[in-house]
Amino acid sequence: MRMSLIAFLFSILLVSETYCQSVYLLFDQASKETNYAVGKLKPALISKGYTLNTSGKDYQYQINLDITSSQVGAESYMIQKEGNKISILGGDERGLIYGAMTLVESLKNGVSLEDVSYKTESPHYPLRAIKHNTSWYSYRPSSALDLHEETLKEVKYWEAFLDMMVENRFNSLSIWNLHPFVFMIKPKNFPEASPFNDKEMEEWKKLHRSIFKMAKERAIDTYLIPFNIFVSHEFADAHQVAKENVYPHYYVPGDTSEIVKRYTRESITQVLQEYPELTGFGLTLGEGMAGMTPQQREDWIFDTYIEGMRLAGRPSKLVHRIPFSSTTESLGATSVELERLTRQAIEREAKMDFIDGPIYADLKYNWSHAHSTPKLVKVHGGEMFDTFYNPLPEGYKITYTARNEDFFALRWGVPDFIRDHIAENSQPYVGGYFIGSETYIPAKDYFTAIEGSVDWDFAFERQWLFYKLWGRLLYNPETPDEVFKAFYKRKYGAEGENLLEAMSLASSTQLKIGSLYDSRWDFTLYGEGLMALIGDETQYISANNLINQPTLDPNYVSVKDYVDGIKAGESFGLGKITPPILIGLLEEDCQKALDLVGGIAFENNLSLQYEVADIQIWANLGLHLAEKIRGSIALQSYREGLGEKHKEEAIASFTKALHYWDEIIAISRPIYKDMPLTHYNGSSHDRNDDNLFHWALIRDQVAKDIEIAKSVKSVVLNTNQW
């Protein structure tokens, strides 16, 4: 009792001493970026008991924020302490902000100014971008996208999102939709193209000006990335052109009429002139260009986007997305000839003095499903050849879009996967990544079913670990796991101790699904639901589909190939992940994840309940998949005449798999709403409003595996038992 009293009094003394300490901040008050950094630093100091000294006299600590490119490089920072003086030195405004955010993080983690130590960091990649779609003129028509419109019109949403980007070291925001211009300007020479009256147009302008202004204050670059060739309905009706090139269509022929070219070119020029804080544009050579050859597409882009940028009279940056079709179709097809043509176009653009280099030549990583294997197996359309980096480029860098079309409701975070990604793609020609989705917008929270206090307002805040891991590791892949563990501990105290490890183990289920089941464009896989595009519809992946589907990762072995190999007496080489090996990995990782969260008490913390529930859902999904693979091996073995016992084994495994699915339902049904899912559009280009997803809603599809096994017949009877 006496020792407890002494400890309590000592803690009071320490707190009292801290409250007596004043801090003087020395910084360039004329700099908006520095003011932003100071605006984040002040409340962190106050929350830890320090007072702010404004006189410059009789202070205990001085924090000096300054830019010094002679000591640190671009986007880099250095924190050093000499006596009572702490210096945050940035190589530029962005680096200064990152340095300030690092000190803020240290303070929140309980580090006092007395204990601040030397630290420096530099960016691994020059581009660390977010891909963010809008609800208006969205690429895919769906209620899952429409429902975000009011949220996306709120400035406070964008303020919170941009703050998140700064905290996680993302330096670029790219905004995507079919035709952004009509929401940003009333074209001077084509006022008939606008659907808005003056008051409505001013509201749209106010929104976009606010986004670009806030991004500039945070040293975040901004890009508009439209699709082509698209116009507004009003323009199409007024001029009787491009009648198909309007929302919600996207796989349509290109209208190359002169008036469409002029309208597009002038819109680009006007947007750059009316929004001086907009950094640049991205080019898309695919949608709305069916019937055009690759050369015709490049020529159209040059006559509109590039010429429009030149006429704007100011420099701007450029993202030149690599075309996904080497034919006149809008479907994916790659070729060396297409790569050569594209490289020539990019190199031509890189020499233009109104384009602020380097140009970023962007490719989709493993098509639309980057959360699979860290190996680059394919891009949109197929194989990537070496044309873009052999010889090494001058004037441009290759970037990769790491798309997520696989998990929207469940939290995700596997730090070593992202580190492996970066290790695979750190060649001198690589400039960075875009992170984001086409079929999901992280704005409105349409998932949370339980009413109560949670620590998020917007959907992206639910996925805080996803953004933190990608952003911080793209900036510095040597960032240790302790940094991310500290965020869990700040949020949940002692109960957060094991959450990073548990989440990493459980949500690696997604990576195994994506590596095992080869997929292509957006709707072809939905990992958290174990669903895929089968025929024309998105549905649960049945045992038959799993057996016959090729793998994405070349080291993985499909169920069919595995059984064929066993039947032929073949062996599998070192490094191959056969279905039994994959089963073992799933069971080991997922069971350990469940054990790690088994004792966590979350009854009085709704946010923690969701964190734990997501880990449990991922883990049970992994255990479900393990049993499903085991049953599929047995099912295919029976079909191939490798023994009667395999039929009963298949039935038993699929029954266990259904048990794990029921566990998922039991966990998720009370806490997750039925959720609109863009994937339910299937192979159609039209919207489908019968699109609600929940694990409970597809249970009957899951149970059909048992019936498949019960009704299966052996193709070849064989008395030899495997």
Side-chain angles (χ1 to χ4, degrees):
M1 182 70 180
R2 178 178 173 80
M3 290 301 296
S4 298
L5 179 60
I6 292 173
F8 174 73
L9 293 174
F10 183 66
S11 66
I12 292 293
L13 178 62
L14 288 177
V15 171
S16 299
E17 288 182 353
T18 300
Y19 272 96
C20 292
Q21 294 178 327
S22 66
V23 181
Y24 176 62
L25 296 169
L26 182 63
F27 61 97
D28 179 5
Q29 299 186 28
S31 167
K32 292 181 179 179
E33 294 87 350
T34 304
N35 273 286
Y36 175 81
V38 171
K40 292 298 180 182
L41 188 54
K42 284 181 177 179
L45 289 165
I46 293 170
S47 70
K48 294 303 177 181
Y50 297 99
T51 60
L52 300 179
N53 181 303
T54 57
S55 68
K57 300 177 181 179
D58 300 325
Y59 53 79
Q60 278 69 52
Y61 290 99
Q62 174 184 304
I63 299 179
N64 175 39
L65 297 93
D66 200 5
I67 295 171
T68 170
S69 58
S70 62
Q71 291 180 266
V72 287
E75 299 192 67
S76 306
Y77 71 85
M78 178 170 57
I79 298 175
Q80 55 188 17
K81 182 170 178 285
E82 298 178 8
N84 69 339
K85 180 180 178 182
I86 298 171
S87 295
I88 304 174
L89 305 175
D92 52 19
E93 288 83 357
R94 190 173 288 158
L96 183 66
I97 290 174
Y98 294 164
M101 296 303 296
T102 298
L103 182 56
V104 168
E105 186 176 305
S106 295
L107 289 166
K108 289 181 178 179
N109 287 338
V111 177
S112 68
L113 293 182
E114 177 65 28
D115 294 327
V116 167
S117 58
Y118 175 85
K119 184 176 178 62
T120 184
E121 282 187 294
S122 298
H124 185 76
Y125 292 120
L127 180 80
R128 306 173 303 282
I130 292 288
K131 168 181 164 48
H132 196 306
N133 288 27
T134 68
S135 293
W136 41 93
Y137 280 28
S138 61
Y139 175 58
R140 305 283 187 182
S142 174
S143 62
L145 305 177
D146 295 348
L147 61 85
H148 298 281
E149 182 158 339
E150 291 308 312
T151 305
L152 292 178
K153 288 180 179 179
E154 297 177 15
V155 172
K156 68 177 183 179
Y157 166 78
W158 292 102
E159 181 179 19
F161 194 87
L162 290 164
D163 281 344
M164 177 277 294
M165 288 181 61
V166 171
E167 181 177 314
N168 296 325
R169 315 302 192 256
F170 287 105
N171 65 4
S172 299
L173 171 67
S174 59
I175 300 175
W176 304 55
N177 63 44
L178 292 183
H179 186 64
F181 311 114
V182 73
F183 299 95
M184 299 178 68
I185 59 169
K186 181 162 285 189
K188 295 175 183 177
N189 294 320
F190 298 97
E192 69 279 6
S194 177
F196 305 115
N197 61 38
D198 289 345
K199 181 179 179 181
E200 292 169 332
M201 191 70 249
E202 186 53 38
E203 287 299 310
W204 282 109
K205 287 185 176 183
K206 181 180 178 181
L207 172 65
H208 286 95
R209 283 195 297 262
S210 296
I211 294 171
F212 300 143
K213 177 177 180 290
M214 290 188 297
K216 181 72 173 176
E217 290 170 350
R218 290 158 176 77
I220 292 174
D221 289 342
T222 46
Y223 294 88
L224 287 182
I225 304 189
F227 296 85
N228 295 294
I229 301 168
F230 295 98
V231 299
S232 68
H233 288 269
E234 291 74 16
F235 180 89
D237 290 341
H239 298 281
Q240 293 300 300
V241 293
K243 297 292 286 185
E244 294 181 299
N245 301 71
V246 293
Y247 176 81
H249 307 129
Y250 48 96
Y251 274 175
V252 293
D255 187 321
T256 59
S257 56
E258 192 56 39
I259 195 167
V260 172
K261 281 186 181 180
R262 182 185 163 203
Y263 165 68
T264 305
R265 180 172 56 245
E266 292 185 8
S267 294
I268 290 158
T269 298
Q270 189 173 338
V271 163
L272 285 172
Q273 290 175 339
E274 288 195 21
Y275 295 92
E277 292 167 322
L278 173 64
T279 306
F281 273 98
L283 312 178
T284 301
L285 295 89
E287 286 81 6
M289 288 183 154
M292 300 171 67
T293 67
Q295 184 63 64
Q296 288 173 329
R297 294 175 184 181
E298 290 288 358
D299 291 344
W300 191 89
I301 286 290
F302 189 84
D303 291 342
T304 54
Y305 281 79
I306 303 303
E307 180 63 7
M309 291 168 70
R310 184 187 70 83
L311 293 172
R314 71 169 177 92
S316 52
K317 292 186 177 182
L318 179 65
V319 176
H320 191 125
R321 300 183 70 210
I322 305 301
F324 57 70
S325 181
S326 59
T327 69
T328 58
E329 300 296 322
S330 291
L331 301 175
T334 60
S335 71
V336 173
E337 291 73 24
L338 176 63
E339 288 191 357
R340 288 173 180 163
L341 173 66
T342 306
R343 176 164 182 162
Q344 290 172 1
I346 295 172
E347 288 175 336
R348 177 188 182 190
E349 293 158 0
K351 295 176 182 177
M352 297 174 178
D353 58 5
F354 57 90
I355 292 179
D356 184 8
I359 293 174
Y360 292 118
D362 189 63
L363 294 147
K364 292 183 191 175
Y365 203 93
N366 287 336
W367 213 315
S368 295
H369 305 276
H371 297 84
S372 50
T373 171
K375 304 182 190 73
L376 178 58
V377 179
K378 59 184 174 182
V379 295
H380 191 135
E383 179 185 359
M384 177 181 173
F385 304 96
D386 69 352
T387 314
F388 291 110
Y389 55 83
N390 184 18
L392 289 175
E394 295 181 8
Y396 72 89
K397 294 274 190 181
I398 294 291
T399 61
Y400 296 112
T401 294
R403 292 268 290 274
N404 166 34
E405 314 302 341
D406 298 293
F407 50 90
F408 308 144
L410 300 180
R411 292 155 180 81
W412 179 94
V414 187
D416 281 344
F417 166 75
I418 298 174
R419 293 188 184 101
D420 290 344
H421 231 283
I422 295 167
E424 286 274 341
N425 300 289
S426 290
Q427 300 88 345
Y429 56 81
V430 178
Y433 281 70
F434 287 84
I435 308 297
S437 307
E438 197 76 80
T439 57
Y440 168 65
I441 297 172
K444 182 177 180 178
D445 173 14
Y446 57 98
F447 308 102
T448 305
I450 302 178
E451 294 186 4
S453 177
V454 293
D455 60 6
W456 66 83
D457 294 313
F458 304 112
F460 75 86
E461 293 169 322
R462 299 176 64 259
Q463 289 277 11
W464 66 272
L465 183 62
F466 173 88
Y467 292 103
K468 194 166 295 297
L469 289 176
W470 270 113
R472 294 294 291 270
L473 292 172
L474 288 175
Y475 180 73
N476 179 6
E478 296 181 3
T479 303
D481 282 355
E482 284 68 26
V483 169
F484 309 114
K485 289 179 182 178
F487 281 93
Y488 271 118
K489 291 178 185 177
R490 280 199 348 233
K491 288 166 72 72
Y492 305 119
E495 301 289 8
E497 178 68 31
N498 295 322
L499 288 181
L500 178 66
E501 182 182 4
M503 178 60 78
S504 180
L505 290 166
S507 65
S508 66
T509 295
Q510 163 59 40
L511 309 178
K512 297 179 179 75
I513 293 169
S515 298
L516 175 66
Y517 196 93
D518 188 24
S519 54
R520 298 168 288 128
W521 48 277
D522 307 352
F523 300 170
T524 55
L525 187 66
Y526 177 55
E528 69 185 358
L530 203 58
M531 299 168 69
L533 182 67
I534 298 169
D536 292 329
E537 296 182 356
T538 299
Q539 54 188 278
Y540 173 78
I541 299 170
S542 71
N544 288 334
N545 294 117
L546 182 67
I547 289 168
N548 293 299
Q549 186 73 4
T551 66
L552 173 66
D553 190 321
N555 285 335
Y556 275 58
V557 179
S558 71
V559 171
K560 184 179 186 302
D561 289 346
Y562 175 72
V563 174
D564 287 347
I566 293 297
K567 185 177 180 181
E570 298 173 355
S571 60
F572 301 91
L574 292 175
K576 289 292 184 181
I577 300 176
T578 62
I581 291 175
L582 182 56
I583 290 169
L585 293 172
L586 284 163
E587 291 181 334
E588 181 181 358
D589 289 350
C590 294
Q591 190 56 60
K592 185 175 181 181
L594 290 174
D595 292 343
L596 285 169
V597 300
I600 293 179
F602 52 72
E603 287 75 11
N604 298 318
N605 190 327
L606 188 55
S607 300
L608 178 58
Q609 179 179 349
Y610 272 93
E611 296 268 11
V612 172
D614 284 2
I615 291 168
Q616 292 172 328
I617 293 170
W618 275 125
N620 278 283
L621 184 64
L623 294 171
H624 166 84
L625 178 59
E627 286 295 344
K628 183 181 184 67
I629 296 170
R630 184 177 282 117
S632 297
I633 295 170
L635 178 64
Q636 186 66 5
S637 297
Y638 176 75
R639 281 175 171 156
E640 291 296 318
L642 295 177
E644 290 294 319
K645 68 175 183 178
H646 294 301
K647 181 172 183 175
E648 293 306 315
E649 289 174 352
I651 294 171
S653 289
F654 292 144
T655 302
K656 289 180 182 177
L658 183 60
H659 163 74
Y660 286 120
W661 198 269
D662 285 337
E663 284 292 309
I664 293 171
I665 294 172
I667 298 165
S668 63
R669 183 77 276 182
I671 66 174
Y672 277 112
K673 298 177 180 177
D674 293 350
M675 300 163 276
L677 181 65
T678 313
H679 294 60
Y680 275 128
N681 285 8
S683 63
S684 173
H685 296 160
D686 299 322
R687 67 186 291 143
N688 172 21
D689 287 331
D690 182 17
N691 65 352
L692 293 181
F693 167 79
H694 193 284
W695 295 271
L697 299 179
I698 61 171
R699 185 188 186 277
D700 59 336
Q701 297 180 40
V702 179
K704 285 181 181 178
D705 279 349
I706 301 171
E707 300 307 315
I708 291 172
K710 287 180 178 179
S711 61
V712 69
K713 296 184 183 301
S714 179
V715 176
V716 179
L717 292 177
N718 191 331
T719 58
N720 295 323
Q721 297 294 301
W722 170 38

